Amino acid sequence: MKPIISRENGLYKDLKNLAANSQARRKAGKTLLDGVHLCEAYLQQIGMPQLCVVADTAQTHPEVAAILLKCEAQQVLCISLPENLYQAISQVENGVGILFVILTPVPVLPEMIEHTSVALDGLQDPGNLGSLLRSAAAAGVRHVFCAPGTAFAWSPKVMRAGMGAHFLLNIYEQADLQSILSVARIPVLATSSHTQTTIYQANLKQAVIWLFGHEGQGVSPELMKMATQTVTIPQQAAIESLNVAASAAICLFEQVRQQLSV
């Protein structure tokens, strides 16, 4: 365990920059996993981090101690920070003081999409994106394609909302959805209020690509034209529309229900 007690320490400055700056995270190809749950999920699903950071006050916490033991056994660099320095880089209020620095995964685009996937066109709210990713992972989705303009999937806010879902998905940033959808060999489904077919009437027993868009503007007209089918979620007329993360969860788990009934 390497203690760092100065704000002027170069490694600490790098950590603070990663924590505060999305561009810095993208440029470095790194992100932060903040909290016991995300760190445990990463160890279980992926492996060892580049760096493990703990607050002095958290070192004796049983879950933190167990994570530290695993990291040190694999010779991962572990550093300790005074509580005030740790809180300056953590975005979790009243959490247990541990975080990982990891390389942001960059999966290779599949040559052919054969499994149910999600394509996101300009989804901007980190909480919505994280919740959607959590639902996608729980529903058995393999791939998530994020078009330019979509929130950075590996930002700390999105990852906290995702609760470890990221490590069960292949997430493709800056994806060219037009190219991807143009060669898709499975149906592309988009939700729309201008159709009569409900998700409960659609045949969802096969693999599909779900297309979801911006919270306010929805899917762009260009991409909407590429949808094989549009479906609607029945709801009360007094409500203009559902939250995109809620809509995605309803669609994905209606598909799960239909597939389980085969």
Side-chain angles (χ1 to χ4, degrees):
M1 179 73 70
K2 176 183 178 181
I4 292 178
I5 59 174
S6 171
R7 296 180 184 274
E8 300 306 312
N9 178 276
L11 179 55
Y12 180 74
K13 286 183 175 180
D14 289 342
L15 282 171
K16 197 168 182 181
N17 194 34
L18 283 176
N21 192 317
S22 178
Q23 288 187 341
R25 289 190 292 270
R26 289 178 183 266
K27 184 177 181 180
K30 299 178 181 180
T31 192
L32 305 182
L33 309 183
D34 203 339
V36 167
H37 178 83
L38 283 178
C39 292
E40 287 180 336
Y42 188 83
L43 289 175
Q44 182 178 1
Q45 300 295 336
I46 305 298
M48 291 293 146
Q50 279 205 320
L51 176 67
C52 178
V53 184
V54 296
D56 284 345
T57 54
Q59 290 186 47
T60 57
H61 187 283
E63 292 173 301
V64 172
I67 292 172
L68 280 173
L69 191 63
K70 291 178 182 178
C71 289
E72 290 178 331
Q74 295 297 319
Q75 299 184 329
V76 173
L77 176 60
C78 300
I79 66 171
S80 64
L81 299 174
E83 183 68 19
N84 63 322
L85 293 191
Y86 183 88
Q87 290 303 323
I89 61 173
S90 174
Q91 298 180 8
V92 177
E93 292 185 11
N94 303 317
V96 179
I98 185 167
L99 60 81
F100 283 173
V101 177
I102 66 165
L103 291 175
T104 305
V106 184
V108 178
L109 278 170
E111 293 183 4
M112 185 183 306
I113 304 172
E114 300 176 310
H115 303 281
T116 291
S117 305
V118 169
L120 302 176
D121 179 28
L123 192 66
Q124 293 188 337
D125 182 80
N128 279 339
L129 178 53
S131 295
L132 193 153
L133 293 176
R134 189 175 180 182
S135 294
V141 167
R142 298 280 188 91
H143 306 293
V144 178
F145 303 98
C146 301
T150 300
F152 183 42
W154 296 93
S155 73
K157 288 183 179 180
V158 176
M159 297 197 68
R160 288 200 303 276
M163 293 292 288
H166 290 67
F167 312 136
L168 300 173
L169 298 164
N170 294 316
I171 302 173
Y172 306 89
E173 300 278 353
Q174 304 295 309
D176 183 347
L177 295 190
Q178 287 193 326
S179 295
I180 291 168
L181 298 183
S182 67
V183 297
R185 298 191 179 184
I186 56 177
V188 178
L189 270 67
T191 57
S192 171
S193 59
H194 305 295
T195 185
Q196 298 298 314
T197 304
T198 73
I199 60 166
Y200 308 113
Q201 296 168 328
N203 177 12
L204 303 178
K205 295 179 181 180
Q206 59 188 323
V208 305
I209 299 175
W210 290 101
L211 178 58
F212 301 108
H214 183 276
E215 288 85 350
Q217 300 166 8
V219 175
S220 70
E222 294 78 15
L223 289 175
M224 187 62 83
K225 292 177 183 177
M226 303 184 75
T228 309
Q229 182 179 9
T230 57
V231 293
T232 187
I233 300 172
Q235 62 186 69
Q236 295 296 315
I239 300 298
E240 181 180 350
S241 63
L242 289 173
N243 171 280
V244 64
S247 296
I250 292 169
C251 293
L252 290 167
F253 282 95
E254 171 57 18
Q255 184 179 18
V256 170
R257 185 195 68 79
Q258 289 191 24
Q259 291 177 344
L260 288 175
S261 67
V262 174

